[in-house]
Each structure stands twice: as C-alpha cells, then as structure tokens.
C-alpha cells in the first residue's frame, strides 16, 4: 500500500460498465517525511509522479488515501477488470515513526 494526496479528478465521457459507481482520482504519492503532517495540513506536491486511482469509497480532493497497485488492485473484484490502482482507505490521521 502507498499513501497519497488527492489533488484532482479525471472525468471520462465513456468508461467500461464495470466501473459504474466509482470515480477516477489524481493522486500524488507522499514521501515518508510528509506522513505525520499530511492529514493536518495540505502537503506540498512530492517529486513522485501523479497516479490515476479508481475510487469507490468516496474520497475527494484534499483527502489522504491509501492505495494499492497492480494485481492487488484487481483482487476485490470477482471478474477480470482493467485497473492499475485502487483506493482502499481514507485516512483521518497518520502517526509515522521511522525505525
């Protein structure tokens, strides 16, 4: 799982029927140094590339989310689905203490 900041949405005129009920978010992955303050204030954009993430949990712009990529993103679906990243959590707070 990676943690990221929702910075916008992608709107599609046509999409596959299996995606009905969800939306596409633009997510900037956070660096470890940004975790502790991410939920309290809007984090600066990290140098990591922005990811398009499928969301059926209702996250919005400014939220801090947890997302998975690759095969893990397709695991919750009972049929094959063309997806690369899936929102799995919306965080209220994060307490990160590196070892």
């Amino acid at each position: 799982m990676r943690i990221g900041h929702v910075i916008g949405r992608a709107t599609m005129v046509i999409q596959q029927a299996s995606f009905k009920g969800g939306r596409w978010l633009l997510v900037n992955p956070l660096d470890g140094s940004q975790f502790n303050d991410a939920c309290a204030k809007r984090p600066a954009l990290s140098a990591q590339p922005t990811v398009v993430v499928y969301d059926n949990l209702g996250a919005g712009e400014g939220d801090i989310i947890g997302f998975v990529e690759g095969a893990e993103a397709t695991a919750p679906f009972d049929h094959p689905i063309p997806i690369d990243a899936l929102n799995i959590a919306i965080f209220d707070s994060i307490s990160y203490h590196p070892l």
Side-chain angles (χ1 to χ4, degrees):
M1 178 179 71
R2 295 173 65 191
I3 297 174
H5 174 229
V6 179
I7 59 172
R9 293 175 54 169
T11 304
M12 298 178 193
V13 177
I14 300 172
Q15 67 180 353
Q16 184 178 13
S18 58
F19 293 120
K20 191 170 181 87
R23 66 179 113 201
W24 298 93
L25 304 174
L26 299 174
V27 178
N28 183 243
L30 298 178
D31 294 324
S33 62
Q34 297 175 294
F35 288 169
N36 285 328
D37 295 332
C39 294
K41 62 180 183 178
R42 186 176 198 136
L45 292 178
S46 71
Q48 298 183 47
T50 298
V51 179
V52 178
V53 177
Y54 179 71
D55 170 55
N56 56 4
L57 298 179
E61 190 169 343
D63 285 341
I64 304 301
I65 67 167
F67 64 98
V68 293
E69 299 172 282
E72 290 82 9
T74 63
F77 300 94
D78 57 358
H79 56 282
I81 192 164
I83 195 170
D84 288 329
L86 174 69
N87 177 16
I88 59 168
I90 302 172
F91 293 106
D92 292 324
S93 65
I94 298 173
S95 179
Y96 173 68
H97 304 283
L99 299 175

